[in-house]
Amino acid sequence: MKHLVSTNSVLNFFLALFVLTIASIFFFAPSKRSQTLTNEDIPKIELRNFNMYQANGDFVDMKIEGSRALQFDDYEILYDFLASRYNTRSKKIYEYISGDKVIRKGDIYDFPNGAVYTKSDGGGFWSEKGTYDYRKEIFRGKGHFVFDSPEGDVEGKNIIYNRKTQMIQAIHITSEIHLSDGKKEKK
């Protein structure tokens, strides 16, 4: 009988250990949801103080520089972004677009903290937010903008700049035109 009691306690010990092991597997196992969130936050590539060049068949089409770049599976985030581009259609001038933070998905560059666009001939604008479609060559601003040129200054909302046609559209426009005699006229 004494032998039977000791067998039950040994059996009970291993049964308790088995139940504890199974319970700890379920309790301490990482959830798939947290693994998915963690994997999405990890960039595939990270660059610091970078210069990138985009070339077409004949020449370097765009130079992009910045302080930091993160590449994920389907998008990139660029910090202190400056892109320069040579415009062969418009009197061979240089164009620049910059922003503190840019999110690139395919050919779309999103500027959530604002963008500055300038041309080497003296024209340019600042927009509160906006997106630039690289293939269509259209910048669509969101919110307030200020456009400066040698001919005058323009303020308004939701600027749309078509690089191919050099056309600008916007709403709620206020302009100041610089006349040739040095006087300013508001419209």
Side-chain angles (χ1 to χ4, degrees):
M1 187 83 156
K2 188 176 184 183
H3 177 41
L4 189 56
V5 172
S6 66
T7 305
N8 284 340
S9 62
V10 170
L11 181 63
N12 290 340
F13 172 75
F14 283 110
L15 282 175
L17 188 60
F18 177 72
V19 169
L20 184 63
T21 302
I22 296 297
S24 66
I25 288 172
F26 290 111
F27 183 72
F28 292 113
S31 70
K32 290 183 181 179
R33 185 180 186 302
S34 66
Q35 286 178 346
T36 304
L37 291 175
T38 305
N39 289 342
E40 289 176 3
D41 295 335
I42 298 173
K44 294 187 318 185
I45 298 173
E46 180 174 354
L47 301 173
R48 296 199 181 263
N49 300 321
F50 65 92
N51 289 316
M52 294 188 297
Y53 299 89
Q54 183 169 328
N56 65 20
D58 300 325
F59 57 91
V60 174
D61 188 39
M62 184 184 298
K63 177 185 176 187
I64 300 172
E65 30 186 309
S67 65
R68 185 174 176 216
L70 303 171
Q71 183 183 44
F72 297 89
D73 287 334
D74 58 344
Y75 68 98
E76 299 169 356
I77 301 176
L78 309 167
Y79 296 93
D80 299 323
F81 170 89
L82 172 65
S84 54
R85 194 170 190 190
Y86 184 67
N87 188 338
T88 56
R89 291 185 209 110
S90 180
K91 301 178 186 174
K92 302 188 183 230
I93 59 175
Y94 285 94
E95 299 172 307
Y96 307 92
I97 190 164
S98 62
D100 294 340
K101 178 180 178 182
V102 179
I103 301 169
R104 179 178 174 250
K105 292 182 182 179
D107 291 331
I108 306 295
Y109 292 82
D110 182 31
F111 295 84
N113 300 340
V116 176
Y117 172 82
T118 55
K119 294 176 13 177
S120 60
D121 67 353
F125 63 84
W126 166 85
S127 180
E128 192 173 1
K129 295 180 182 182
T131 57
Y132 179 69
D133 187 327
Y134 175 76
R135 291 288 168 217
K136 294 179 181 177
E137 298 184 7
I138 295 175
F139 179 86
R140 294 185 184 279
K142 297 172 191 159
H144 187 74
F145 78 90
V146 177
F147 178 84
D148 296 318
S149 73
E151 294 83 24
D153 304 324
V154 179
E155 291 186 36
K157 297 222 182 263
N158 302 342
I159 187 171
I160 299 173
Y161 170 63
N162 187 324
R163 182 178 179 262
K164 289 179 183 177
T165 63
Q166 297 292 305
M167 294 293 295
I168 297 175
Q169 299 173 330
I171 60 173
H172 306 295
I173 298 171
T174 304
S175 67
E176 188 174 285
I177 299 171
H178 300 215
L179 301 174
S180 61
D181 61 0
K183 296 179 182 175
K184 295 181 180 181
E185 180 179 315
K186 286 201 174 206
K187 295 249 177 184

